[in-house]
Amino acid sequence: VQLQASGGGLVQAGGSLRLSCAASGRTFSNYAMGWFRQAPGKEREFVSAIAWSSANTYYANSVKGRFTTSRDNAKNTVYLQMNSLKPEDTAVYYCAVGTIATRPTSYDYWGQGTQVTVSS
């Protein structure tokens, strides 16, 4: 299984970015895709998750209403649309495949991470 995350970058506070995570190597219909982030000196934290089959979505309270996750089954790709970005959203963002949950340990496969930097 390979996960390729992309779309990170530098943006001003209030701006938007869209992250993508392309998955390959197996079918994911029974799994979920999660987004996590890790800022320097902090633990990896849950951001959002989406079930491949039902498209049910889940969000951390800190991003609810600002971030939206979606998926394109035909492309085996999941997106994280991030709006109204804040400096505290600055982190390396990771996508992962596993059982839908907020714990990183519930996810078996991880992408390489993409840096998101929000300037004030």
Side-chain angles (χ1 to χ4, degrees):
V1 175
Q2 290 188 332
L3 302 175
Q4 183 68 41
S6 61
L10 173 64
V11 64
Q12 289 187 334
S16 299
L17 283 174
R18 188 176 80 155
L19 306 184
S20 299
C21 182
S24 62
R26 67 174 301 161
T27 58
F28 300 97
S29 58
N30 295 323
Y31 292 86
M33 179 74 80
W35 287 99
F36 290 79
R37 66 187 182 186
Q38 188 165 19
K42 294 187 176 181
E43 293 186 353
R44 190 166 298 189
E45 66 172 354
F46 171 78
V47 174
S48 73
I50 184 168
W52 277 104
S53 57
S54 67
N56 288 338
T57 54
Y58 307 85
Y59 299 95
N61 288 335
S62 59
V63 306
K64 201 171 293 184
R66 299 187 298 123
F67 290 11
T68 302
T69 189
S70 60
R71 89 270 190 262
D72 184 333
N73 286 350
K75 296 182 178 180
N76 255 11
T77 299
V78 173
Y79 305 97
L80 182 66
Q81 177 67 43
M82 305 186 295
N83 298 328
S84 302
L85 283 162
K86 305 175 181 180
E88 51 264 44
D89 294 319
T90 296
V92 177
Y93 283 70
Y94 298 89
C95 57
V97 168
T99 303
I100 197 159
T102 61
R103 301 181 305 275
T105 52
S106 294
Y107 294 80
D108 302 310
Y109 304 99
W110 291 82
Q112 84 286 5
T114 183
Q115 176 71 47
V116 171
T117 303
V118 184
S119 63
S120 56

